[in-house]
Amino acid sequence: RRGEVGPDFDALIAADQRIEPRDDMPEAYRRTLIRQIAQHAHSEIIGMQPEGNWITRAPSLRRKAILMAKVQDEAGHGLYLYSAAETLGIDRAELLDMLHTGRQKYSSIFNYPTLTWADCGAIGWLVDGAAIMNQVPLCRCSYGPYARAMIRVCKEESFHQRQGFEILWTLTRGTDAQKAMAQDAADRWWWPALMMFGPPDTGEAAKGGHTEQSMAWGIKRFSNDDLRQKFVDMTVPQAQKLGLTLPDPDLRFNEETGHWDFGPIDWDEFWRVLRGDGPCNAERVSWRVRAHEDGAWVREAATAYAAKQARAHTQ
Ligand code: FAQ
């Protein structure tokens, strides 16, 4: 399906068909996808740290086993996504280098610390909850390998969200100290979770954003604000079930629109975190770089083994 013999890019997009790696595509489409898929992969890998930090301290064997499985899933999502990015003609080593040198971003949310066990609950409930809201539409993304990767990722994220909710369900039915711990985690994670959806659709921040073009290309199916609103509408009733309050005095149901209105987001904080000035940016990146360096011998051994196998097959 190359060049003149196959259906061209615009026709495929107009017909809401999938673009596959060997199809012709505009260079800007390819670059946008590399940027988004790589940043998504980096988020999964960096996102292992806040919860990984609690594996040795999970309150029971059962919680420890669940948390280990979740963090492993995140590693798996990262690998899936790096593979999807590689179909666009870029090498994983190059993408990792861009992460390690700050030339590519990862989600703002992972620059916040996990101070208590309840934070593992809040991450599952709010961070995975936001991730699902953002990623389910990506299952219909115009780029085939990304869309297909998202199907399995979303199934696993749904399990992650439920396990987070269940941690908080248990804590909110526990002692006063446990209830307070759950409330404190919800207070700290609520606003950063809303920021995960990215800058607003209007105003200064929207200028230079990618949404319009990405929606025209069928990469994004909803705008940042639309997904954020869907997330608030889904999550407020869950907070009520948990008996937790959300830290927003302006949160109220709007009978006219049928949506939950919410207060202003601190976008200065968001841009500060993106510039590298969040509570844990330096720690997250340096930990990742060290893990990569410590893993050099594994990569060397795997490469040597692959070369040996290839020689054995050609002899
Ligand atoms: N953090 O014009 P837009 C997870 C950047 S879930 C950092 O709206 P776009 C699962 C954006 O890159 C988290 N940067 O951009 C998990 C752009 O800068 P650039 C990851 C952000 O791409 C759970 C600029 O702002 N999920 O990991 C953020 O059209 C628990 C302008 O923004 C994904 O990556 C942010 N929050 O829309 C793991 C999903 N928001 O690149 C472990 C896929 C925006 O020009 C534990 N990605 N920026 O330098 C997407 O859907 C999109 O890329 C958006 C941003 C919606 C994130």
Side-chain angles (χ1 to χ4, degrees), residues 35 39 44 74 105 108 128 134 196 198 209-210 220 224:
R35 177 185 61 79
Q39 293 187 162
E44 297 282 357
E74 286 154 7
K105 298 185 171 75
S108 50
D128 285 282
N134 164 269
M196 283 175 73
H210 306 290
K220 276 171 119 164
N224 298 357

Side-chain angles (χ1 to χ4, degrees), residues 49-51 53-54 57 111-123 181-182 184-185 187-189 279-280 283-284:
Q49 291 184 39
E51 290 161 292
N53 180 5
W54 274 91
R57 295 175 289 166
N111 292 307
Y112 292 85
T114 36
L115 304 178
T116 70
W117 169 248
D119 288 8
C120 288
I123 290 183
M181 196 199 284
D184 170 60
D187 288 345
R188 283 182 292 105
W189 289 92
C280 301
E283 182 187 330
R284 298 288 186 243

Side-chain angles (χ1 to χ4, degrees), residues 292-307:
H292 188 71
E293 286 165 358
D294 288 350
W297 69 272
V298 181
R299 291 188 296 280
E300 282 160 22
T303 309
Y305 180 74

Side-chain angles (χ1 to χ4, degrees), residues 144-159:
Y146 190 29
R148 288 189 288 273
M150 277 301 110
I151 294 170
R152 176 163 175 179
V153 169
C154 284
K155 285 186 184 163
E156 293 181 350
E157 303 285 32
S158 302
F159 159 73

Side-chain angles (χ1 to χ4, degrees), residues 32 35-37 39-48 50-51 70 74 77 103-111 123-124 127-132 134-135 138 146 150 153 157 160 192 195-201 205-206 208-212 214 220 222 224 227 270-271 273-274:
T32 289
R35 177 185 61 79
Q36 177 166 329
I37 301 172
Q39 293 187 162
H40 193 167
H42 301 330
S43 303
E44 297 282 357
I45 300 296
I46 295 275
M48 295 167 72
E51 290 161 292
K70 180 184 193 280
E74 286 154 7
H77 296 174
R103 283 174 295 143
Q104 272 185 341
K105 298 185 171 75
Y106 57 88
S107 182
S108 50
I109 193 76
F110 302 116
N111 292 307
I123 290 183
V127 177
D128 285 282
I132 296 166
N134 164 269
Q135 284 164 214
L138 292 174
Y146 190 29
M150 277 301 110
V153 169
E157 303 285 32
H160 295 172
M195 293 174 197
M196 283 175 73
F197 294 93
D201 299 344
H210 306 290
T211 300
E212 205 180 319
S214 287
K220 276 171 119 164
F222 296 95
N224 298 357
L227 288 175
F270 173 77
W271 294 115
V273 171
L274 253 63

